[in-house]
Amino acid sequence: MERRIKNKQFLASASERDVALKQTLAIVAASLAHGIDQKLMRSCIRAIDRRRFNVVLIVTGYLAKDADFNPGLLIPHYLAAQIGVGGVLIFSDVGFEASDQQVANLLKCYEGIPVVALGNEMPGICSVGIDNATGIKSLVGHLYAQGCRNIGFVKGPEDNHDARERYAAFCEAMAEKSLAIEEHYVLPGNYSSLSARLAIQALSAKKIGLPDAFMCANDLMAKGAIEEFIEQGVRVPEDILVTGFDDFEYSQVMEPTLTSVTVPFGQIAEQGVARLVRKLEGEAQVESAKIASLAILRASSGIPKEQVAHIPNESNRWVLLQHQDLGDGRYTVERLLRYRSSFKKTVHRLKPVLHDIGLAPVYFYRTMDQEQHQGGWEKIRLVYSSTDAVAEEKDTPVPSALFSQDVSDHDSVWTLCPMFTPTHNFGYIAARAKLSVAGFVESLAMYMTDNINAGRLQAVADEMRDYAQEAESMATLGELVASVTHEVNTPLGVSILAITNQMDSVREIDNLLQTSKLRKPDFDQFLDQCRETSDIIGNSLERVRELLTHFREVAVDQSSDHSRTLDVGEYIQTVMHSLKPKFKRSNVKVRLELLPGIILTTYPGALAQVITNFAMNAYIHAFDNGKQEGTFSIRMAHDGDILVLTFEDNGAGMDEPVLTQAFEKYFTTQRGKGGSGLGLFIVNQLINDQLGGKIKATSSPEEGSRFVVSLVI
């Protein structure tokens, strides 16, 4: 992949790329699931629009931690680099869990393209970051003014840059106020509500009391802390003050409203875009910058409610309705994707839903080679478009409309989301989305990835099942070959011995004839011996012919997928006749209670496999490889158009735990003794899938097992 980037094998044509380099900037975000990412995205789009550039939004997902890292996670960044944009604004939280080396590998994807990072510093490139310290120190000063002297802190992830900065600023501010930090009030967290709740629960269990206030490294943990305090009967702010950071969308509508730190996304976006434009204009060294965060004081830190600025109820209601609509849309998409069908049918079914949500047009691109280490983005092809433009743009790897945007349209943005797993590249979705629903393209890409990958895994599972069935069938044929070979040896041996004796008699008669000593009684005796020898040879060869005929019928059927019409009773006899050599040398008797004239059009190979597997299952498991005495029986019955085949033995039987797993793949009680765990699994698959029947099993230890198979005649 890196080689393709260095060679500049961009997906757009040369002319399109020239235009794109002048007009289109990319915003690369790990996710749009969080409110702060959406705020920064909207601010960036406004700043780009003011400069009359086109914009494309690319959602890439987060880089994993070192232990979970896979090169396939860089696939979306190669897509972002290859579409031919002039510059890139990358949200730095894309690598918040990644090592510096991983981030460096990520940035190699954009080699030769001007890049500015927004959020935190990224090695080797211009960054516009957040000054976390300003807001944190303002909050400490505010809490101090409220009379708080004992202040606790809920930390964020240890490997997160912002979390470390915020805690360091807290420690500095406490020192500046000459306030001691009590370590038992410094709690671990991971930016989730649950982590804060668990930390508060652990603190309460120590029964050491609470501090005057808790500062949390983000709003989600502050929300979790407040919920836990309320559940424990601790009032906020009457008994304890709580603050957060990020000023997320619910902080103004919580009860109590949450004191937080807001990040001036407008300034970050404006400064970031301005620096990117300077890079595009050829400025070699563009300095990084940090934008100060700002404390927002609300009720959770003791500000009287009447002094807290509220969002108008109409605005709250509108935001909630938008979230509800998106939630309904996600549910509808999930429901439609439950119906497994071809890719084109699936996306066609989604078309009206996506249009209602605000995604139009929508393009689905699929890679011709899904293996990411073999297929590149130059092997991508349009397979569906809501504008019915597939014929015109069949071989174009990106929508031509992407490079001919109306920059006066501030309400929507082209959004690209790859469909990929760490090991497979399925393509990507390109959609023109309203700003309020751009994040839905990310959800759609995840749903489609799961749907495509599930189909891929099902195909692999089907292939493996077919292979297992073929292997089991060949193993059964191998057993038949061994048994038939052993059985054929006896009549062939008798025939050879009879012929040898006959040749000796011929030589004796010839000698008597040559010496004129042949008498009539000698000749009569010779004729009688010839008749007897002929009978012996004839009977023996007839036995061989019979064995080979039955073996050939069963072998051909088991290796064929074709259906034909057969007499069920006669066919069962044929199959069991081919197994006769196996049972002949054992202590197991075979009893057949068959009905004549039951005609069935079916797959004889599948039926032969079912009969053989039941018989061999009884031979191996019920009667310990034929060592135990007992009876294996097959009975036929019919009720109207239903044929009932009962396979029964009076052998070892199964207890309830074994019986419940008997039809599961690879389950066997003979592990290490030749059992594959596929016999009854394949029987169940063949009966349900190929023969169109049903099977029911009953068994008890030491009382044997019964399998009842119902087939439609």
Side-chain angles (χ1 to χ4, degrees), residues 657-668 676-682 684:
V658 173
L659 181 61
T660 57
Q661 301 178 78
F663 295 112
E664 291 184 9
K665 187 187 294 188
Y666 304 127
F667 175 78
T668 179
S676 66
L678 291 171
L680 289 182
F681 167 76
I682 290 176
N684 189 44

Side-chain angles (χ1 to χ4, degrees), residues 83 100 134 172 246 264 281 324 445 484 522 535 572 640:
I83 64 172
D100 290 343
T134 305
E172 289 179 16
D246 289 332
E281 291 173 347
Q324 180 179 329
V484 169
D522 295 330
D535 288 342
I572 292 175

Side-chain angles (χ1 to χ4, degrees), residues 37 54 57 135 161 215 261 463 652:
D37 295 310
N54 291 330
L57 175 64
H161 175 82
M215 293 178 63
V261 175
E463 183 178 346

Side-chain angles (χ1 to χ4, degrees), residues 8 10-26 48 51-56 80-88 110-115 276-282 402-405:
K8 298 293 186 295
F10 293 104
L11 294 179
S13 67
S15 59
E16 286 175 335
R17 182 172 175 269
D18 288 342
V19 175
L21 286 171
K22 298 175 182 177
Q23 294 186 350
T24 303
L25 302 181
I48 291 172
R51 290 166 172 82
R52 307 297 293 173
F53 281 91
N54 291 330
V55 61
V56 58
Q82 284 192 324
I83 64 172
V85 296
V88 173
Y110 301 101
E111 194 172 38
I113 302 175
V115 179
L276 184 57
V277 171
R278 286 163 58 187
K279 280 177 166 283
L280 289 171
E281 291 173 347
L402 185 67
F403 301 105
S404 58
Q405 303 177 43

Side-chain angles (χ1 to χ4, degrees), residues 1-12:
M1 294 180 185
E2 189 173 330
R3 175 182 56 79
R4 289 195 292 272
I5 296 297
K6 288 182 178 180
N7 292 338
K8 298 293 186 295
Q9 293 180 353
F10 293 104
L11 294 179

Side-chain angles (χ1 to χ4, degrees), residues 139 450 528:
L139 286 186
D450 289 343
D528 291 339

Side-chain angles (χ1 to χ4, degrees), residues 32 70 72 115 158 162 209 264 286 301 324 334 366 369 402 454 456 458 475 526 562 571 594 647 691 703:
L32 294 178
N70 185 296
V115 179
E158 293 293 340
D162 284 325
V286 179
S301 63
Q324 180 179 329
E334 287 186 52
R366 291 291 303 275
D369 189 340
L402 185 67
R456 182 188 66 82
Q458 184 61 52
F526 172 73
H562 300 298
Y571 193 71
L594 308 175
F647 302 85
L691 299 180
E703 294 184 9

